[in-house]
Amino acid sequence: MERPQQKRGRRRCVVLAVVAVLLLVVIVAVVLGLTLRQDSQPLKTTFIARCEEFKQYDCQKIWDAFEQAYVGRDPCKVPTEAYDPFIAAAYFKPECNRMMFWSKTKDVVHDFTETNNCFVTLEDTVLGRVADGLTWCGKEGSSETFTTGCPGWSDCANNTVRSFWNRVSAAFADAACGDVTAMLNGSIPTPFSPASIFGSVELMRFSSPRVSRLNVVLVTQTNSVANCTNASFKELQKELDAGIAYNCKEVAEAQLQECSSKPCGGCW
Ligand code: JS2
């Protein structure tokens, strides 16, 4: 038969155990909450900071227009038009004769435009700069922005990031004017691919007479496998709007690096 003080002792142990478990649950919930909340912060902070570099936009308004495209949605059900309000908010002045498109040359093209300031890529405008190199998505029933666990580029057609790049690339190409340049990669067998964003979204939006010429700059290295007679360029010219002149130049990557100090137009 248990004595009363033994009963009291046992009861005290049970209460302490329950308190300990409850405490543990609260700590886990707080840590999880802070971690999840932090997930949405870095993206918005980076986005706003990059937008403010341009010193001409209402960056909170642009963020709100960007966020509404995907928050609370299935990350595989974000169509390109969901970003239309973002395009409207992040207007940019077309730079005739300076717009540079690219395909499979992301690093070399941005090293080039950063140093010689003669051309502007999509990623040099607010449209591309705010999200360049980032990943994000939402979830049904949540107001959070997630930067991990999002579907990959080829996981689903209407995925959050892929729809963004398709939409902003279309807007950038729709604004193309004058002489347009495209930096393509001479170290791959088909420098022009109709399946690429340049080939499937941008090229068909170059419209004569707004665009007068397309200058292809084929970046070559010692091991290059393609030149301006590459068959894929025949495909490119077929897709190009009649009335737009076409030109292709092979330019060694080393030469591009020397160009940074040359005046615009002195590179190829
Ligand atoms: C930038 C990203 C990211 O003309 C260029 C640009 O205007 C670009 O928006 O689209 C064209 C390049 O795309 P393409 O032709 O498919 O070339 P690629 O080298 O196979 O793809 C690079 C990725 C383009 C879309 N994109 N652009 N910054 O962070 C970024 N992430 C993706 N997926």
Side-chain angles (χ1 to χ4, degrees):
M1 177 70 171
E2 213 174 27
R3 292 201 298 276
Q5 60 268 44
Q6 277 174 323
K7 269 191 186 165
R8 272 199 306 279
R10 197 157 55 77
R11 205 176 301 133
R12 202 173 299 123
C13 286
V14 170
V15 168
L16 283 175
V18 169
V19 167
V21 168
L22 284 175
L23 205 57
L24 190 64
V25 167
V26 167
I27 290 168
V28 168
V30 167
V31 169
L32 207 55
L34 283 174
T35 311
L36 285 175
R37 197 177 67 75
Q38 280 165 1
D39 266 354
S40 64
Q41 289 312 312
L43 188 86
K44 181 176 181 180
T45 307
T46 305
F47 184 106
I48 298 268
R50 290 182 179 184
C51 170
E52 285 172 348
E53 290 167 5
F54 294 84
K55 299 184 181 20
Q56 66 182 88
Y57 294 107
D58 175 342
C59 294
Q60 182 59 48
K61 182 180 165 207
I62 293 182
W63 166 260
D64 293 342
F66 170 81
E67 187 190 38
Q68 63 71 43
Y70 63 86
V71 155
R73 282 184 165 194
D74 176 332
C76 277
K77 290 181 182 163
V78 177
T80 53
E81 52 271 19
Y83 288 101
D84 287 355
F86 166 74
I87 300 292
Y91 58 87
F92 71 99
K93 181 174 156 303
E95 303 266 355
C96 294
N97 304 314
R98 297 184 66 221
M99 293 173 81
M100 173 81 81
F101 295 80
W102 51 273
S103 195
K104 308 288 187 290
T105 53
K106 188 177 184 205
D107 294 339
V108 66
V109 75
H110 290 122
D111 289 349
F112 180 66
T113 59
E114 263 157 35
T115 49
N116 85 347
N117 205 21
C118 297
F119 293 92
V120 177
T121 63
L122 168 61
E123 296 73 24
D124 297 315
T125 70
V126 70
L127 278 185
R129 172 73 182 128
V130 288
D132 194 13
L134 305 178
T135 187
W136 65 93
C137 63
K139 189 166 70 174
E140 277 178 309
S142 165
S143 60
E144 291 292 327
T145 291
F146 300 97
T147 55
T148 53
C150 297
W153 186 263
S154 44
D155 288 349
C156 45
N158 277 337
N159 88 53
T160 311
V161 173
R162 182 172 179 167
S163 291
F164 173 84
W165 287 109
N166 283 333
R167 185 65 189 85
V168 293
S169 299
F172 190 60
D174 283 338
C177 47
D179 281 12
V180 165
T181 307
M183 192 171 279
L184 304 182
N185 190 334
S187 299
I188 55 178
T190 49
F192 171 70
S193 162
S196 66
I197 290 184
F198 175 63
S200 63
V201 174
E202 296 172 324
L203 181 67
M204 80 271 287
R205 285 179 164 82
F206 299 161
S207 163
S208 171
R210 198 185 70 245
V211 173
S212 47
R213 168 182 289 276
L214 172 62
N215 293 313
V216 166
V217 173
L218 187 65
V219 182
T220 60
Q221 294 173 336
T222 43
N223 63 347
S224 281
V225 294
N227 60 33
C228 282
T229 64
N230 186 277
S232 67
F233 292 136
K234 304 273 181 297
E235 178 80 24
L236 186 160
Q237 291 177 73
K238 267 196 278 180
E239 306 263 330
L240 193 58
D241 190 22
I244 297 179
Y246 169 82
N247 178 42
C248 177
K249 274 256 175 74
E250 291 147 23
V251 182
E253 187 168 345
Q255 185 185 331
L256 285 180
Q257 283 149 5
E258 284 157 29
C259 272
S260 48
S261 53
K262 287 190 180 161
C264 293
C267 199
W268 47 74

